[in-house]
Amino acid sequence: MKQNHYSRKKRQLTRLIEDLRLKMSTSDQSSGTIHRIKLRIKYLLNELSGCISKYQLKRMLGGFAIVFGFASVANSQVFNAPVLNPFGLTSPPATVYLQFPEMADLDNDGDMDILAGVYDEYGFAGLSYYENIGSSEAPEFSASVINPFGITVSNPINFPALVDLDNDGDLDLLNGEYYGSMSYFENTGTASAPSFAAPTSLPFGLTATYGLAMPTFADLDNDGDMDLLVGEQYANQQYFENIGTAEAPSFDAPQTNPFGLTVGYGLSSPEFGDFDNDGDFDLMIGAYYGNFEYYMNTGSASNPVFFGPVTNPFELSPTYEFNFPTVADLDGDGDLDLMVCEGYGNFQYFENIDPTTSIDEIGVKGSILPNPFNDVLSFNFDQDVVHAEFVNLAGQVILRVENPGTNVDVSSLHQGMYIVKCRHANEQTSTSKLQKL
């Protein structure tokens, strides 16, 4: 009888969640009706908490897990209070209004560097490069170098995005610009010594966005190539699906605010990352007036559905006037940290202290060998691996392997550092940091 009692309540909870999702996605958003549904859901969650794990309840709630306070599950990240201009970074000159940062390992030495567009009162047109002369665990940034590696830009506002668009093992540059254009700088050098060719405007079938172009890349449909999301003026997001290949991109006509995204206010600077450790890309948007707007992906790695926005999740606090975020593992602990530029070009660093990582990993013993590795890795765990993700230090998923077994061919990976996230048969996770030689 007791089992039937809880099964019935699970069915009731599922129906109420679907009803809430339907009413919040349509014009039927009566606050009284939604409030009553939420109260019923809270009651059922209390009833079921003794017989269903938090992980199961989170799966049932999807994006609503945040709304109903499952912080230890849905909000699997927790960020420290921000640190102003850390790691040797300094306040920019008083003439600088804004900086638009991107983090990537530009010199292939295993740590994250910064490339930032600079906007100042003189209409300066340039990108500022901060080399990480420290390490992957203890960053230290050098003084900035303007327009490095042969880069030339002419627009007063530049939003850089670094990604390997031709799959040759080095980072290329797509630069978002004023008036919504985008310029492509192919890296004709190497992963360790980049050299960028003259720019090509709106390559690969791209079209201009409205007013501004703030690009970010991720493989949103899990087909092995990089898709593009671009924030534009008045806070719409334009999605360009890559219908080409990893070696020869070709972008489809843009879709406005797809996958459940909604229009923001003023400016919305997007950045992808797996913030809930469930194997798909979530979206963090830096909003006007300094807030973080978080969209949890309640779909899958190949079919995203974004729930939100949730304002300032994970104990994040607003930055000053503006919020231009970039994510990477800056301290080498296997999770994504946030570096944000705010008004007047200052950097704010939010360290991800992710207290649930060790909890998730309880019950999983073993390792991935060798480290460093070449073309084959051996997975040696006491729990079978259901799927494994190879993520670069910028949070981009480079390779996914389903049911990898013991020996995994990783010859397709280029040289560099990777975070390997494994989901095991017991629904727990493990994280390893490995280097490809």
Side-chain angles (χ1 to χ4, degrees):
M1 292 293 294
K2 188 173 182 180
Q3 181 61 40
N4 291 336
H5 170 73
Y6 283 117
S7 296
R8 184 173 68 254
K9 289 188 179 296
K10 284 175 64 178
R11 291 193 296 271
Q12 291 173 354
L13 178 61
T14 300
R15 287 195 297 269
L16 285 169
I17 291 168
E18 186 57 37
D19 195 17
L20 180 61
R21 181 177 289 108
L22 179 63
K23 291 189 181 301
M24 293 188 70
S25 64
T26 66
S27 58
D28 183 12
Q29 294 195 18
S30 166
S31 59
T33 301
I34 289 176
H35 179 66
R36 286 192 294 273
I37 295 173
K38 287 182 176 179
L39 287 178
R40 290 289 309 280
I41 290 175
K42 286 183 179 179
Y43 171 79
L44 288 171
L45 290 173
N46 288 331
E47 289 283 294
L48 291 167
S49 61
C51 66
I52 298 178
S53 71
K54 286 186 176 181
Y55 181 80
Q56 289 176 298
L57 289 174
K58 181 257 183 180
R59 292 291 296 270
M60 294 177 69
L61 287 166
F64 293 118
I66 295 176
V67 175
F68 291 98
F70 279 69
S72 65
V73 181
N75 292 17
S76 56
Q77 322 294 304
V78 175
F79 291 89
N80 264 336
V83 178
L84 179 67
N85 296 322
F87 312 129
L89 297 168
T90 58
S91 296
T95 56
V96 171
Y97 291 147
L98 298 170
Q99 292 195 84
F100 313 108
E102 171 80 331
M103 286 195 291
D105 186 3
L106 262 171
D107 51 7
N108 200 34
D109 63 351
D111 54 41
M112 302 305 292
D113 311 296
I114 298 175
L115 188 68
V118 179
Y119 174 56
D120 74 5
E121 66 182 44
Y122 299 118
F124 166 79
L127 295 170
S128 189
Y129 172 58
Y130 300 86
E131 182 187 356
N132 188 346
I133 55 177
S135 68
S136 59
E137 289 81 20
E140 182 74 18
F141 293 101
S142 67
S144 66
V145 176
I146 302 300
N147 293 337
F149 314 123
I151 296 171
T152 56
V153 294
S154 57
N155 290 275
I157 298 182
N158 299 279
F159 301 92
L162 292 162
V163 65
D164 185 3
L165 267 180
D166 49 10
N167 200 31
D168 64 350
D170 54 40
L171 292 172
D172 308 297
L173 170 64
L174 186 74
N175 191 51
E177 298 166 352
Y178 202 40
Y179 297 123
S181 188
M182 288 171 274
S183 292
Y184 171 62
F185 296 76
E186 182 186 358
N187 187 349
T188 56
T190 66
S192 303
S195 178
F196 292 98
T200 302
S201 181
L202 295 174
F204 314 124
L206 292 173
T207 57
T209 54
Y210 182 75
L212 298 170
M214 294 176 279
T216 188
F217 285 94
D219 183 4
L220 275 183
D221 50 9
N222 198 26
D223 64 351
D225 54 41
M226 302 303 288
D227 307 297
L228 174 64
L229 189 71
V230 184
E232 64 179 8
Q233 198 165 349
Y234 299 120
N236 282 310
Q237 302 292 325
Q238 299 291 348
Y239 170 61
F240 297 82
E241 181 187 355
N242 188 347
I243 55 177
T245 66
E247 292 77 20
S250 176
F251 292 98
D252 206 354
Q255 303 173 48
T256 304
N257 299 325
F259 313 125
L261 296 175
T262 58
V263 63
Y265 176 75
L267 297 176
S268 292
S269 179
E271 185 75 355
F272 286 110
D274 184 2
F275 291 100
D276 56 3
N277 289 323
D278 65 348
D280 54 39
F281 284 108
D282 310 297
L283 183 64
M284 188 73 76
I285 290 179
Y288 202 40
Y289 295 125
N291 283 321
F292 294 89
E293 300 290 348
Y294 173 61
Y295 288 85
M296 176 190 285
N297 187 350
T298 60
S300 66
S302 56
N303 185 27
V305 177
F306 291 108
F307 172 86
V310 176
T311 302
N312 299 326
F314 314 131
E315 302 185 18
L316 292 167
S317 57
T319 52
Y320 179 69
E321 288 191 347
F322 293 93
N323 185 317
F324 301 102
T326 181
V327 301
D329 182 10
L330 268 177
D331 51 8
D333 63 352
D335 54 38
L336 294 176
D337 308 296
L338 274 161
M339 187 72 81
V340 180
C341 279
E342 60 180 6
Y344 297 105
N346 284 305
F347 291 91
Q348 294 282 4
Y349 170 59
F350 295 81
E351 181 190 0
N352 188 345
I353 56 176
D354 192 8
T356 64
T357 299
S358 59
I359 295 173
D360 283 344
E361 292 179 3
I362 291 174
V364 178
K365 297 180 180 179
S367 61
I368 305 174
L369 297 172
N371 187 21
F373 65 95
N374 288 304
D375 292 336
V376 177
L377 280 172
S378 178
F379 284 55
N380 301 292
F381 292 100
D382 63 349
Q383 295 286 331
D384 289 341
V385 178
V386 177
H387 70 254
E389 293 181 337
F390 292 76
V391 184
N392 67 15
L393 295 184
Q396 297 169 336
V397 178
I398 306 302
L399 177 66
R400 283 189 177 94
V401 183
E402 300 295 327
N403 299 307
T406 302
N407 295 315
V408 181
D409 182 357
V410 288
S411 57
S412 63
L413 294 175
H414 297 295
Q415 289 182 338
M417 300 295 297
Y418 296 91
I419 305 298
V420 185
K421 296 182 178 181
C422 296
R423 172 68 66 180
H424 297 270
N426 63 352
E427 297 187 338
Q428 313 237 339
T429 62
S430 63
T431 302
S432 307
K433 186 175 182 181
L434 306 175
Q435 181 181 8
K436 173 75 181 286
L437 296 176

